[in-house]
């Protein structure tokens, strides 16, 4: 069976594995203070055209979200997200476990809009309620949609108006960066306070690269990482991987490849008369299938069940990765 359930089901891109193997017997200091982490940081700062950002490498997305949000907020402060946001649905209450409430509004095609932020601010006017202090969004979203540069600017402007930090979860960032009107890495550094560049879902064995732009969020961040058990002793493993992902545009090539594979699936479903629950241009697609078709798909492929549309129709999710071949996508459509 071929598994379309997610984009971290394989190991790592061959170039990443090659780099890890090539550096395997070289001794380095620990905890991310090695030459590979420094080289990766220098490379990413050059791409961002910003030498003043702080960069930290962490192992996974939930860990990164929880540590970043809990370190930024005072005890009585909360984070704003859409109801489908990863921190609200898929992280086992990790943010709440640190003592911070997540304030939500129903998503619009997976996305946050400034009006939602303004409404939440009006709903929390005084000290009898938690104080909103951060907005959390994902690029791409849980529904495979993405924020254009203009949409990101509008959200950032709204955050600044309301004295809120803007934090962007970039677990699948590579899939968005190759879309023509999406913000570049340089622009993300201009229109957010902190974001991260995903590795786990973008060709690395594991790892996320956190980029802190706002000076208020930088102080003692390594203490937060260590206290919450997230400081990897063999930190060089993260540096080697991100150094490789940002060599010769490999990160963007991976994003382009997985989107092209998803395009084959997307077009195939539509050509055969199936509708999409939501129009997503990235590496996640959400077709609506009848029960008979779903049963046939399940014989040879694994997909993610999303929800029932009605008694006879179900929304499922298919996700492509760096390792997905165009041939397997064409085979799937042929069988469909």
């Amino acid at each position: 069976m071929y598994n379309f359930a997610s984009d971290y089901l394989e190991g790592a891109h061959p170039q990443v594995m090659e780099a890890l193997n090539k550096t395997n017997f070289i001794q380095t200091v620990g905890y991310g203070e090695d030459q590979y982490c420094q080289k990766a940081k220098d490379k990413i700062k050059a791409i961002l055209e910003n030498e003043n950002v702080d960069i930290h490498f962490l192992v996974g997305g939930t860990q990164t979200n929880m540590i970043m949000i809990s370190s930024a907020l005072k005890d009585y402060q909360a984070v704003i997200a859409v109801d489908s946001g990863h921190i609200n649905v898929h992280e086992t209450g990790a943010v709440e476990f640190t003592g911070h409430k997540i304030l939500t509004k129903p998503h619009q095609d997976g996305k946050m809009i400034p009006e939602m932020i303004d409404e939440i601010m009006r709903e929390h006017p005084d000290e009898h309620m938690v104080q909103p202090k951060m907005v959390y969004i994902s690029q791409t979203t849980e529904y495979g949609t993405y924020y254009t540069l203009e949409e990101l600017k509008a959200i950032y402007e709204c955050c600044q108006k309301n004295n809120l930090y803007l934090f962007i979860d970039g677990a699948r960032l590579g899939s968005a960066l190759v879309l023509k009107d999406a913000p570049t890495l340089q622009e993300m550094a201009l229109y957010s306070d902190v974001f991260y560049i995903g590795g786990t879902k973008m060709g690395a064995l594991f790892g996320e690269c956190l980029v802190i732009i706002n000076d208020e969020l930088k102080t003692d961040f390594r203490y937060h990482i260590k206290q919450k058990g997230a400081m990897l002793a063999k930190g060089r493993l993260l540096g080697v991987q991100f150094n490789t992902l940002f060599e010769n545009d490999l990160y963007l090539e991976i994003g382009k490849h997985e989107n092209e594979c998803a395009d084959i699936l997307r077009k195939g479903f539509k050509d055969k008369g199936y509708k999409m629950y939501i129009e997503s241009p990235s590496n996640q697609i959400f077709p609506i299938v009848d029960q008979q078709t779903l049963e046939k798909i399940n014989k040879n492929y694994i997909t993610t069940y999303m929800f029932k549309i009605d008694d006879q129709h179900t929304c499922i999710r298919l996700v492509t990765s760096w390792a997905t071949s165009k041939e397997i996508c064409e085979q799937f459509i042929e069988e469909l």
Side-chain angles (χ1 to χ4, degrees):
M1 296 183 76
Y2 189 82
N3 196 332
F4 283 108
S6 194
D7 36 13
Y8 51 77
L9 304 175
E10 299 87 4
H13 191 281
Q15 291 182 40
V16 172
M17 293 299 291
E18 181 184 1
L20 287 168
N21 191 51
K22 190 179 294 184
T23 58
N24 193 42
F25 285 97
I26 297 174
Q27 294 181 321
T28 67
V29 297
Y31 304 107
E33 296 185 318
D34 58 277
Q35 65 265 35
Y36 300 112
C37 286
Q38 188 57 52
K39 186 176 180 181
K41 289 178 183 180
D42 291 343
K43 189 174 289 185
I44 291 167
K45 286 180 179 181
I47 292 169
L48 298 177
E49 298 176 356
N50 188 336
E51 292 294 323
N52 295 319
V53 300
D54 279 5
I55 293 177
H56 302 275
F57 298 112
L58 294 102
V59 172
T62 298
Q63 180 190 75
T64 305
N65 289 334
M66 180 269 288
I67 295 173
M68 185 64 250
I69 293 170
S70 64
S71 71
L73 304 183
K74 293 187 171 72
D75 292 345
Y76 51 84
Q77 292 176 331
V79 58
I80 297 171
V82 292
D83 55 356
S84 60
H86 205 272
I87 60 170
N88 190 51
V89 180
H90 295 294
E91 297 188 351
T92 324
V95 171
E96 291 96 335
F97 184 71
T98 66
H100 300 286
K101 192 170 185 177
I102 302 173
L103 305 170
T104 65
K105 290 291 179 183
H107 69 87
Q108 289 197 10
D109 293 335
K111 294 190 281 188
M112 172 83 66
I113 60 172
E115 288 77 9
M116 297 176 190
I117 300 169
D118 287 333
E119 186 174 352
I120 285 177
M121 295 305 294
R122 287 193 295 270
E123 292 169 352
H124 294 79
D126 56 36
E127 69 277 4
H128 297 286
M129 304 170 184
V130 291
Q131 182 187 72
K133 186 58 181 177
M134 175 179 276
V135 170
Y136 165 95
I137 62 174
S138 297
Q139 181 78 323
T140 61
T141 73
E142 294 300 299
Y143 282 99
T145 53
Y146 70 104
Y147 293 89
T148 66
L149 174 58
E150 292 308 311
E151 288 172 331
L152 178 61
K153 285 181 178 179
I155 290 173
Y156 185 57
E157 183 180 321
C158 182
C159 288
Q160 289 192 305
K161 177 186 69 176
N162 287 295
N163 194 28
L164 302 169
Y165 300 126
L166 177 58
F167 174 33
I168 307 173
D169 176 332
R172 293 188 172 100
L173 185 57
S175 182
L177 288 173
V178 294
L179 299 173
K180 64 178 182 180
D181 54 350
T184 63
L185 283 171
Q186 297 95 320
E187 289 163 341
M188 289 181 68
L190 289 173
Y191 302 110
S192 71
D193 295 286
V194 56
F195 69 92
Y196 73 87
I197 302 166
T200 304
K201 295 176 179 176
M202 290 298 308
L205 276 176
F206 54 84
E208 321 299 322
C209 173
L210 184 69
V211 180
I212 304 178
I213 301 114
N214 190 321
D215 290 341
E216 295 175 10
L217 304 177
K218 295 176 182 178
T219 306
D220 294 337
F221 193 78
R222 280 175 62 87
Y223 284 83
H224 292 284
I225 297 174
K226 182 65 177 182
Q227 187 184 63
K228 292 177 173 64
M231 189 168 284
L232 186 65
K234 296 182 181 180
R236 47 91 62 75
L237 298 177
L238 294 162
V240 170
Q241 292 185 83
F242 275 96
N243 189 49
T244 306
L245 288 172
F246 282 90
E247 190 78 36
N248 299 322
D249 290 330
L250 177 59
Y251 195 78
L252 298 180
E253 286 179 17
I254 290 172
K256 182 180 178 183
H257 170 78
E258 60 188 20
N259 286 0
E260 288 175 349
C261 288
D263 286 342
I264 294 171
L265 297 172
R266 189 180 292 109
K267 183 177 185 302
F269 271 106
K270 289 183 176 180
D271 287 349
K272 297 179 187 304
Y274 293 92
K275 293 182 178 179
M276 295 289 163
Y277 173 73
I278 199 163
E279 290 296 333
S280 58
S282 67
N283 70 320
Q284 301 180 80
I285 69 168
F286 299 85
I288 297 170
V289 297
D290 58 87
Q291 191 60 34
Q292 185 178 13
T293 300
L294 182 57
E295 289 171 3
K296 290 181 178 179
I297 288 173
N298 288 343
K299 289 180 181 178
N300 294 314
Y301 300 94
I302 298 172
T303 63
T304 300
Y305 167 86
M306 294 298 292
F307 43 79
K308 295 286 287 184
I309 298 295
D310 55 39
D311 290 341
Q312 294 299 318
H313 295 87
T314 300
C315 174
I316 60 174
R317 184 185 75 161
L318 289 83
V319 187
T320 55
S321 78
W322 65 268
T324 306
S325 70
K326 293 181 180 179
E327 289 74 21
I328 196 69
C329 297
E330 289 163 354
Q331 176 185 311
F332 177 93
I333 296 304
E334 186 177 340
E335 293 183 21
L336 183 68

